[in-house]
Amino acid sequence: EHLMFFPPTAPEGDTEIWASWRPHTDDDFGWQTPVNLGPDINTVVRDEGPAYFAGEDTSPPTLFFVSNRPGGLGLLDVYASERQPEGSFGTPTHVSELSSPSRDARPTIRYDGLEVILFSNRPDESGNFDFDLWGSTRTSLGSTWATPENLGMTVNSGASDIQPQLSSDAEMLQFGADRDGGYGNLELYVTVRSKGGQ
């Protein structure tokens, strides 16, 4: 990938999204000086959890992220910004179908743009408010997302399960959790699924 996005902590304690570019994808030391994505993406509140989708069809590349800017449904909501032809990012739109009155954070997008996994403390079927991993799909890049579903106890646990990251082939999901039996605090976990990632 030519672009890398990350949210350093701003001086006032809020977060912003920055990006760096490299001319060659095989040059791990070619990253250029990071730049702030500007006031459309970054506000005076929290803007974080970037996930970039650049498909191979005619749809514009899109940056998904979360924010607690005014006008959302909850503590953190999902937003999407399309990359413009000259390289800037357009005004973000609120992705209401992926957002809730709870905290919805750190989306990760499948390679084809048709699946998203995020973590949220929205209540599950049993009424629990722990952080769990939730997934949603859509039928095409232009359609709306289905209501997110809890990934269930095969993936989630009674602890906090957070910060999901899908592999490039969508067959492996990495995430952090503070489960019993580890070394303490958050640790890295991995789950895999059948080839094809569907």
Side-chain angles (χ1 to χ4, degrees):
E1 183 58 69
H2 291 279
L3 282 167
M4 173 174 59
F5 300 88
F6 53 95
T9 301
E12 63 275 12
D14 290 320
T15 50
E16 298 179 335
I17 300 174
W18 291 60
S20 179
W21 178 83
R22 60 180 175 178
H24 304 290
T25 57
D26 57 353
D27 183 4
D28 291 337
F29 299 98
W31 294 105
Q32 306 299 300
T33 302
V35 296
N36 187 299
L37 292 189
D40 278 341
I41 301 296
N42 295 315
T43 63
V44 296
V45 293
R46 299 182 68 87
D47 302 289
E48 59 191 34
Y52 187 59
F53 168 69
E56 297 180 354
D57 63 6
T58 57
S59 298
T62 303
L63 177 67
F64 292 85
F65 65 98
V66 297
S67 177
N68 65 345
R69 63 187 64 194
L73 297 174
L75 301 177
L76 282 175
D77 280 26
V78 181
Y79 290 81
S81 171
E82 294 183 353
R83 191 177 184 202
Q84 306 303 300
E86 83 284 357
S88 67
F89 286 90
T91 302
T93 58
H94 182 249
V95 188
S96 59
E97 60 266 32
L98 296 180
S99 303
S100 75
S102 301
R103 181 180 177 187
D104 303 296
R106 187 58 175 86
T108 179
I109 309 295
R110 196 169 73 195
Y111 60 84
D112 59 4
L114 301 182
E115 178 185 29
V116 60
I117 296 174
L118 50 81
F119 76 93
S120 177
N121 62 345
R122 63 181 72 189
D124 61 18
E125 292 178 354
S126 63
N128 259 329
F129 286 88
D130 291 327
F131 282 115
D132 277 343
L133 304 182
W134 297 69
S136 174
T137 58
R138 57 183 175 179
T139 56
S140 68
L141 295 181
S143 62
T144 58
W145 295 95
T147 301
E149 295 184 359
N150 190 292
L151 296 190
M153 293 303 289
T154 301
V155 176
N156 291 309
S157 68
S160 290
D161 300 290
I162 64 173
Q163 304 291 351
Q165 179 61 51
L166 274 171
S167 61
S168 59
D169 61 5
E171 294 176 22
M172 180 174 65
L173 177 66
Q174 299 174 320
F175 60 96
D178 60 354
R179 305 179 182 194
D180 292 337
Y183 294 101
N185 210 345
L186 289 173
E187 296 179 289
L188 183 65
Y189 289 81
V190 176
T191 183
V192 296
R193 60 182 171 186
S194 62
K195 189 171 181 61
Q198 304 297 327

